[in-house]
Amino acid sequence: MAGKFAFLKEQFLIDGEWGGIDLDASMRHLQAGIGSGGSTISEAAFAALGATSVVLTPVIVEQCEAIQVEFETDEGVWTATLDLAAQQVTFLNKSTGEVEELPVRPEAGERAAGSFSLERMGIPAMETPRGNVTIDTVLVLVYLQQHHAGRDTFGSVSVADMNLTLEVCFGVLSEKAARLKAQSRAARSRATRDTTAVRKAVEQRQKYGLPTSFDLDMEQERYTKVVDEHAAELLRLARELEQHHGVLTGRDAEAARGLQAVSNAATAADRAHQELASMYERRGLSRQRLAAAEEATRPRTHCPECAQSLEARSGQGPACPVCRQPDPGLPARQEQRAQELVRAREAALAADSQLIDAQRIAQKAVDARREAEQDAQRLAGRATAYRAQEIAPREATQARARAAESEARARLEAVKERRQELVLIAELEKNAAASSRQADAAEEAWAAAEGDAQEHRQQTAKQLSQIFADIAIPMAPDKIRSAVIDPRTLAPKINNRSLKQLARSAGLVSIAHTAYHLMALEAARSMPLVLLPRCQWLDAPLDGLGGGPEGERLANAVLTVCAETAGADVQLILTTPQALPARPQGLHTTKHDSTKPLIPHARPESDER
């Protein structure tokens, strides 16, 4: 049976000032007329204890510097102060002065604040291969969250963690037995995994006909020889190709020189044709000068001015200014013109001779270029023929030999891998045998510790079913015919249906959740092996019951059962957005609205400080 645990006070640090509400009562009712105020208080309280699954509202995150809850245990009165910025919780025992400062989300090897809170509740924090027992999994059993009601029983924690938490908290398994069971299942799972690995490796070998070590060694030797033969053939071909490539290099060089000779001959022919063009121009000029000289030596028969015959000086009109008198320098000019004619003829003959020589040179350059082109084509064809006859066949043979060598090497590697598979299978069989022995030993240890665990589970489920039925049926006797706890999952069933199957009936789901938490409260008080604190916080337990006379009747029935379950040795906190239709005896109600907020010194949302 877990020790005493009860909330006494909850405070918030805003702008350096602490303020909050009193929670000390066996049955406390917080009426938050502004809606989600109850959720704000309840989730902040469990966040101060180190829970990570609750979500704080913006008013807490934006305004508060720290949250503090004061609670009482068998060890005395404790305060847990959560620094929201540092995410550290400081625990102080006001009776002994003991102080512990722990992180909410610890690093590797650190202790969590939630684990310390669990110890104060008398519940061991566990980490096993099968699952974990944490403050968040236990929180599902002591706190009915409004946004979880009507969806599923266990909130947002994992199924494996919740199953282990249920078995430990309801006393089905001790801490030692839970660890042994988890180790047994993990060892058996490991043994099954190793056995499966051996089976798959053997199935893989069956594709190759299950060769023995000797067969694989012979195949490896044979493929090694084939690889060596192909490697030797490649080496021989490489040497031959090296020699023929040397010859081909020489022939390629000759072909390149032939192409260079063609280029040089073409350049010379171009230059000769350019000179021939200049010779043609020079001959044309000399012929023009010769024609002019011949024209100059011929006697003048007509006047250059009036174009009349110089012999007949007659006619009408004025006298010509050019030819009206005799010319005494005519003989000398005629002699000079005769000499110029001779020189012009000699120059024309020389130009013709030079032109003929230039034509001959240009023709020789063209013939040389054609000969160089023929030589270049011959040398290029010679290199191409040598490549086709001597090198291409050897390169093709080399490619085939290289492909054959690659294939042989691949087969050799496959043989080596299959050879390695034998070693791997032997190692897997060794591991499988070892893990099987470990699993057998773990199962023997679990069997020895289990004893009559199944019978104990059935008895525990039977007792819980009795408590659950005594609580759930009076809440709605016309709707609930049977209410039991499944011995396998320790989950509730209403009318032989799970909560998921009751999802269409919001009233039954809400009643089932409330009854399940009250069952946990009663079990913590009456069953010695149950490790749960005698404290329950129910957020909006009347939601979904409906309105009108029917809803009021169901709400009165739920409140009546809550009052009957509460007592001086337990604590039951209810938060609702509305007033209760009835006031059970011993109920302490605190009303809150916009004029009297749950956090009395909270700043208005419009305050920009």
Side-chain angles (χ1 to χ4, degrees):
M1 180 178 292
K4 181 180 180 180
F5 186 91
F7 288 103
L8 301 179
K9 186 183 297 185
E10 182 173 0
Q11 298 189 90
F12 302 89
L13 180 61
I14 300 177
D15 297 334
E17 179 184 355
W18 285 102
I21 60 174
D22 185 18
L23 300 175
D24 184 18
S26 60
M27 190 173 180
R28 168 74 63 175
H29 172 223
L30 303 178
Q31 179 186 338
I34 57 176
S36 62
S39 300
T40 300
I41 294 296
S42 57
E43 294 188 356
F46 289 110
L49 295 178
T52 61
S53 60
V54 295
V55 180
L56 297 177
T57 56
V59 69
I60 298 292
V61 176
E62 296 172 3
Q63 297 191 21
C64 296
E65 303 169 23
I67 305 171
Q68 183 181 88
V69 292
E70 184 176 310
F71 57 93
E72 185 178 7
T73 67
D74 293 333
E75 300 171 346
V77 177
W78 289 83
T79 60
T81 306
L82 169 63
D83 187 331
L84 290 174
Q87 285 295 295
Q88 296 277 338
V89 181
T90 302
F91 293 93
L92 169 64
N93 189 323
K94 301 177 70 173
S95 303
T96 63
E98 177 185 354
V99 177
E100 287 282 347
E101 186 173 347
L102 301 171
V104 174
R105 300 181 184 272
E107 300 292 338
E110 290 184 319
R111 190 182 185 190
S115 299
F116 190 83
S117 296
L118 277 188
E119 293 177 2
R120 307 287 74 76
M121 297 179 184
I123 303 173
M126 297 174 58
E127 292 185 8
T128 70
R130 181 182 164 218
N132 303 324
V133 178
T134 64
I135 183 67
D136 294 286
T137 59
V138 174
L139 189 63
V140 176
L141 298 177
V142 298
Y143 171 41
L144 174 59
Q145 294 173 286
Q146 180 181 11
H147 60 282
H148 284 164
R151 290 201 309 161
D152 53 82
T153 308
F154 306 129
S156 58
V157 299
S158 69
V159 175
D161 293 348
M162 201 64 233
N163 289 338
L164 179 63
T165 302
L166 289 172
E167 291 178 342
V168 172
C169 289
F170 284 123
V172 174
L173 295 178
S174 64
E175 180 179 359
K176 178 181 178 181
R179 292 187 183 278
L180 287 176
K181 183 178 181 180
Q183 292 170 2
S184 172
R185 291 192 176 183
R188 180 52 61 190
S189 176
R190 191 163 49 249
T192 302
R193 185 170 60 251
D194 292 343
T195 303
T196 302
V198 173
R199 178 178 55 78
K200 289 184 178 180
V202 172
E203 290 177 354
Q204 181 69 22
R205 282 196 64 226
Q206 288 177 351
K207 296 181 181 179
Y208 311 117
L210 293 177
T212 63
S213 300
F214 177 77
D215 296 335
L216 294 176
D217 290 341
M218 293 299 294
E219 284 191 21
Q220 183 174 346
E221 183 178 355
R222 178 162 61 87
Y223 285 122
T224 301
K225 289 181 179 180
V226 174
V227 170
D228 293 340
E229 291 174 359
H230 288 302
E233 178 69 11
L234 285 173
L235 181 61
R236 182 185 65 79
L237 290 172
R239 290 174 179 173
E240 292 183 1
L241 282 172
E242 184 178 1
Q243 296 175 357
H244 290 290
H245 275 298
V247 176
L248 181 62
T249 301
R251 296 195 176 187
D252 287 339
E254 290 179 353
R257 287 194 295 271
L259 291 176
Q260 184 62 39
V262 170
S263 177
N264 295 337
T267 302
D270 291 340
R271 190 180 299 113
H273 278 84
Q274 291 175 0
E275 292 178 358
L276 186 62
S278 65
M279 291 298 177
Y280 275 113
E281 184 179 358
R282 190 181 305 170
R283 188 184 70 171
L285 293 175
S286 65
R287 286 183 177 181
Q288 290 178 2
R289 285 194 294 271
L290 176 60
E294 289 177 346
E295 179 68 22
T297 57
R298 284 194 291 271
R300 299 290 182 179
T301 59
H302 292 77
C303 176
E305 178 67 23
C306 62
Q308 297 185 37
S309 174
L310 297 176
E311 295 179 356
R313 298 178 176 270
S314 62
Q316 298 294 326
C320 177
V322 176
C323 60
R324 67 176 50 182
Q325 58 185 358
D327 185 6
L330 179 61
R333 288 197 301 275
Q334 288 178 344
E335 180 67 22
Q336 183 181 359
R337 290 169 180 168
Q339 292 176 358
E340 290 178 355
L341 176 61
V342 171
R343 288 195 296 273
R345 285 175 179 173
E346 291 176 353
L349 292 174
D352 290 338
S353 177
Q354 290 177 356
L355 177 61
I356 292 171
D357 292 340
Q359 288 176 340
R360 188 182 302 108
I361 291 172
Q363 184 63 39
K364 288 182 179 180
V366 171
D367 294 340
R369 185 185 64 182
R370 290 175 180 173
E371 184 178 356
E373 288 177 349
Q374 293 175 357
D375 290 342
Q377 291 176 358
R378 179 179 58 80
L379 292 174
R382 186 167 174 240
T384 302
Y386 189 83
R387 178 185 295 277
Q389 293 174 3
E390 301 295 340
I391 293 180
R394 288 178 171 82
E395 287 181 342
T397 304
Q398 187 184 41
R400 290 192 296 270
R402 187 175 291 111
E405 183 195 21
S406 299
E407 183 180 359
R409 287 189 182 278
R411 291 180 178 273
L412 179 60
E413 292 299 324
V415 172
K416 289 181 179 180
E417 289 179 2
R418 292 197 296 272
R419 186 70 177 83
Q420 188 64 27
E421 284 178 1
L422 293 177
V423 179
L424 177 62
I425 289 175
E427 185 67 23
L428 289 176
E429 289 176 345
K430 181 180 177 181
N431 293 340
S435 59
S436 180
R437 289 194 298 270
Q438 293 174 0
D440 292 340
E443 286 179 351
E444 290 177 2
W446 160 238
E450 182 181 25
D452 56 349
Q454 294 301 324
E455 180 64 24
H456 178 57
R457 175 185 286 269
Q458 294 292 335
Q459 292 297 327
T460 301
K462 185 177 181 180
Q463 296 179 38
L464 292 176
S465 296
Q466 185 61 49
I467 298 174
F468 184 57
D470 292 342
I471 293 175
I473 293 177
M475 290 183 178
D478 57 331
K479 299 177 181 294
I480 301 176
R481 298 181 302 275
S482 65
V484 297
I485 299 298
D486 188 347
R488 186 176 60 86
T489 62
L490 298 179
K493 284 188 174 182
I494 300 292
N495 297 335
N496 203 28
R497 301 171 70 187
S498 65
L499 294 188
K500 184 178 294 186
Q501 295 170 329
L502 292 174
R504 293 186 178 181
S505 177
L508 284 182
V509 172
S510 178
I511 289 174
H513 275 282
T514 304
Y516 191 78
H517 280 268
L518 293 178
M519 176 207 72
L521 183 63
E522 181 61 30
R525 176 167 56 187
S526 60
M527 297 176 65
L529 296 180
V530 173
L531 298 181
L532 282 174
R534 296 189 295 275
C535 176
Q536 284 289 335
W537 197 317
L538 308 181
D539 186 15
L542 304 181
D543 285 2
L545 298 182
E550 177 65 14
E552 184 176 352
R553 182 182 66 83
L554 291 176
N556 286 332
V558 170
L559 289 175
T560 300
V561 175
C562 289
E564 293 174 354
T565 306
D569 56 343
V570 299
Q571 184 182 40
L572 181 62
I573 302 177
L574 305 176
T575 56
T576 63
Q578 72 276 358
L580 299 181
R583 181 179 178 83
Q585 186 177 2
L587 177 68
H588 294 266
T589 300
T590 304
K591 295 182 180 180
H592 301 275
D593 52 27
S594 58
T595 61
K596 185 181 180 183
L598 287 168
I599 307 175
H601 57 310
R603 298 192 301 270
E605 293 184 2
S606 60
D607 191 349
E608 298 180 356
R609 285 187 303 163

